[in-house]
Amino acid sequence: MTGEMAAVTLTGIAGGAAALSILGLVQAASRAYTSHVHRTTTVGLHQQFIELSARQMMLIAGLLATLVGLLGLAFVPPPIAAALGATALFIPRFAVQVVRSHRQSAIAQQMPEAIEALAGCLRGGANLNRGLELLATHQPRPIRDEFALMVTRRTLGGDLNEVLSEFCERNKSDDIALFQSAVAMADQVGGDLAYTLENLGRTLRTRNDMQRRIRSLTAMGRMQGRLMTLLPIGIAGVIYLQQPATMSRLFTHPVGWIGIAVAAVLMVIATLWIRRIVDIEI
């Protein structure tokens, strides 16, 4: 009896230690994810002028994870469904990146017209601050929001170079970096800023036209890359629905795990390779 009680005690202690370890890992993961959501919200959304709190982001992520996990239970084993649900927690970050990419692309397309309008204001006798105010009023969104923020920062006493640097940091673009350099150089050493901006606007407009042509020519390659990535997953899903007993060995046998890992690595390499081929810098 004494030996059995000792064994039960040791088992209970070991189980308690394992439970505490798991609880500690869960708490650490929860803190890391909360920090990740706060960083995504403050850096990603607020810079894109989207008012969404970290609490709302976490609520949306939790609902998406629950929905994906429940839907996954209808088609795949519970461990795979749980993994899909955990992966869905990062969908909001992916959405933020998509929104940022689309917004920065729109700003890049609007920059030539805004620069030419600013050059016209300077030709008409307005100073730089007045020109920025006109851009913040008459330009379309999203670039209007950026110039409105610049005007607000200048009204509060912000330095022109700092305001332009913040504009460049919020929107990682070579076009905006050239605009920042032109305005900062004219502010420091003087010169005909209107003439410089007119040339810069024409150059950026020509560059944007060329980029649109290149994207049109490489659209087929990008679509083929997406199809090559999704096609194996779709085929595996169809086969799993038709022959679940056979396909389940991929998730329960070590050889199947190795096969999945190798296939995933090859798919990632192929995707990056195709993206590198169609990504042409001007």
Side-chain angles (χ1 to χ4, degrees), residues 184-211:
M185 186 177 298
D187 182 65
Q188 293 176 1
V189 302
D192 191 352
L193 180 58
Y195 175 77
T196 303
L197 292 179
E198 286 176 352
N199 289 334
L200 179 59
R202 285 195 296 268
T203 302
L204 295 183
R205 188 180 296 277
T206 304
R207 180 183 177 184
N208 289 339
D209 292 340
M210 190 175 297
Q211 285 179 340

Side-chain angles (χ1 to χ4, degrees), residues 140-182:
R141 288 183 174 176
I143 200 169
R144 181 176 67 187
D145 298 330
E146 293 288 348
F147 282 110
L149 181 59
M150 293 172 64
V151 170
T152 302
R153 294 279 288 110
R154 288 284 290 166
T155 303
L156 295 176
D159 181 70
L160 179 61
N161 292 331
E162 294 180 357
V163 172
L164 292 174
S165 297
E166 293 174 356
F167 179 36
C168 190
E169 289 177 1
R170 286 192 303 271
N171 304 274
K172 304 294 183 180
S173 171
D174 295 336
D175 299 351
I176 297 176
L178 291 173
F179 172 71
Q180 176 194 6
S181 301

Side-chain angles (χ1 to χ4, degrees), residues 12-31:
I13 293 174
L20 290 176
S21 300
I22 294 174
L23 181 60
L25 291 175
V26 171
Q27 290 178 347
S30 177
R31 288 193 297 268

Side-chain angles (χ1 to χ4, degrees), residues 55-227:
R55 183 184 298 274
Q56 292 172 328
M57 281 282 290
M58 293 185 66
L59 179 60
I60 293 173
L63 291 176
L64 285 174
T66 303
L67 179 62
V68 171
L70 292 177
L71 290 176
L73 287 174
F75 302 100
V76 296
I80 305 299
L84 291 175
T87 304
L89 291 173
F90 297 93
I91 291 179
R93 179 172 179 81
F94 176 74
V96 169
Q97 292 177 348
V98 172
V99 170
R100 178 185 299 176
S101 177
H102 281 284
R103 189 173 185 278
Q104 291 181 353
S105 177
I107 290 176
Q109 296 297 323
Q110 294 171 353
M111 276 299 295
E113 182 179 353
I115 291 175
E116 292 174 352
L118 181 58
C121 293
L122 297 178
R123 288 291 189 192
N127 57 18
L128 182 59
N129 290 332
R130 179 56 182 166
L132 293 176
E133 291 176 359
L134 292 175
L135 292 181
T137 304
H138 296 92
Q139 288 297 309
R141 288 183 174 176
I143 200 169
R144 181 176 67 187
D145 298 330
E146 293 288 348
F147 282 110
L149 181 59
M150 293 172 64
V151 170
T152 302
R153 294 279 288 110
R154 288 284 290 166
T155 303
L156 295 176
D159 181 70
L160 179 61
N161 292 331
E162 294 180 357
V163 172
L164 292 174
S165 297
E166 293 174 356
F167 179 36
C168 190
E169 289 177 1
R170 286 192 303 271
N171 304 274
K172 304 294 183 180
S173 171
D174 295 336
D175 299 351
I176 297 176
L178 291 173
F179 172 71
Q180 176 194 6
S181 301
V183 175
M185 186 177 298
D187 182 65
Q188 293 176 1
V189 302
D192 191 352
L193 180 58
Y195 175 77
T196 303
L197 292 179
E198 286 176 352
N199 289 334
L200 179 59
R202 285 195 296 268
T203 302
L204 295 183
R205 188 180 296 277
T206 304
R207 180 183 177 184
N208 289 339
D209 292 340
M210 190 175 297
Q211 285 179 340
R212 283 194 291 268
R213 292 180 183 178
I214 291 175
R215 288 189 62 84
S216 298
L217 294 174
T218 58
M220 182 62 69
R222 293 195 304 275
M223 182 59 66
Q224 289 176 350
R226 297 188 184 100
L227 288 177

